[in-house]
Amino acid sequence: MKLIQKLTSEPFARAVARCMKFICYFVISFFVLCTALSFLGRQTFFLHTKTGTFENAIYAEKIHGSYPRGMTVHMGDEIHVWTNDGDQISPAIHVGLSLMYAIHVVPMVFAFWFLSRVFSNIQKRQIFTEQNATYLLYYGLLQFSVAVFVPFIKLLICWLISLVSDSQISLSTGQATFHMLFPSLVFLVAAYIIHYGVHLQDEVDHTL
């Protein structure tokens, strides 16, 4: 019982909120770094050439081995790239890979920014506010869009790049849709609960 009281106490909750705010900042910084690495050609994919298939190939290396050197990023989807007649990867493929990664990551950057604002308000003892409800709503909607709509946008980018490039690219995506969909719905419900609580409090204040 004492442990539960300690875990639900205000000082402990504020300390956790402060920690979570900085974790959100770290996640945002990590996403920005990964996006930069993707645009630098450090995103891994399956490469099919005339001499063989390479599982962890990257655009930034001309000689593809089993494992690329240095930092790399992976989108979580299965990406296959086929070289052109000259056994080279078209620059359009690199553009497509970078765009697909950005489409996947940029909404998450904004989502974690809104979540960090919630933890910042909790740290300031501003909990049941309309602002927190809005931030949670935005977070849930962004997570929902990444889970439901972003896979179709990535498939569209993949299709367009294959049309204009002399190399070919294919994408298998949507594997994490369910894992992201459920938490996004939870945050949407949490946003409604806080909004409803604020509305009830306003009614009580006006009644008094």
Side-chain angles (χ1 to χ4, degrees):
M1 188 66 180
K2 291 183 178 180
L3 178 61
I4 296 177
Q5 291 177 347
K6 183 177 180 179
L7 292 176
T8 55
S9 65
E10 181 182 337
F12 182 79
R14 293 179 62 192
V16 171
R18 185 184 304 110
C19 179
M20 292 301 299
K21 180 179 69 173
F22 285 107
I23 289 176
C24 287
Y25 292 157
F26 174 79
V27 172
I28 290 172
S29 301
F30 180 76
F31 281 151
V32 171
L33 172 63
C34 289
T35 304
L37 288 173
S38 176
F39 277 95
L40 291 173
R42 306 295 303 180
Q43 183 178 347
T44 61
F45 51 86
F46 288 90
L47 177 62
H48 303 273
T49 69
K50 295 180 179 179
T51 58
T53 299
F54 302 92
E55 183 176 351
N56 293 293
I58 61 174
Y59 182 81
E61 288 187 349
K62 300 301 181 183
I63 301 176
H64 303 284
S66 299
Y67 295 96
R69 293 169 293 179
M71 294 183 64
T72 61
V73 294
H74 182 61
M75 194 163 52
D77 301 318
E78 188 172 317
I79 304 172
H80 291 262
V81 174
W82 286 264
T83 56
N84 55 23
D85 293 336
D87 209 23
Q88 300 293 322
I89 304 174
S90 170
I93 296 294
H94 173 49
V95 174
L97 289 171
S98 300
L99 285 177
M100 286 189 289
Y101 196 90
I103 288 294
H104 180 82
V105 169
V106 170
M108 300 300 295
V109 170
F110 285 101
F112 276 93
W113 169 254
F114 288 126
L115 192 60
S116 71
R117 297 301 85 204
V118 175
F119 290 124
S120 179
N121 287 340
I122 293 175
Q123 185 182 345
K124 300 173 185 176
R125 300 179 181 177
Q126 300 172 3
I127 302 174
F128 286 96
T129 65
E130 192 65 40
Q131 192 178 55
N132 282 345
T134 302
Y135 288 150
L136 289 176
L137 176 65
Y138 289 160
Y139 179 85
L141 289 176
L142 285 168
Q143 288 274 12
F144 183 85
S145 68
V146 172
V148 177
F149 301 116
V150 166
F152 292 100
I153 298 176
K154 289 191 287 188
L155 287 171
L156 177 61
I157 293 174
C158 183
W159 178 70
L160 291 174
I161 292 298
S162 293
L163 284 180
V164 301
S165 172
D166 55 358
S167 301
Q168 293 298 310
I169 181 172
S170 69
L171 174 71
S172 175
T173 186
Q175 295 89 340
T177 296
F178 177 78
H179 298 290
M180 297 185 66
L181 184 60
F182 183 76
S184 68
L185 296 177
V186 171
F187 276 95
L188 291 176
V189 172
Y192 168 74
I193 292 173
I194 293 180
H195 173 76
Y196 187 69
V198 172
H199 179 70
L200 288 180
Q201 185 62 46
D202 288 341
E203 288 186 349
V204 172
D205 293 341
H206 284 89
T207 301
L208 295 177

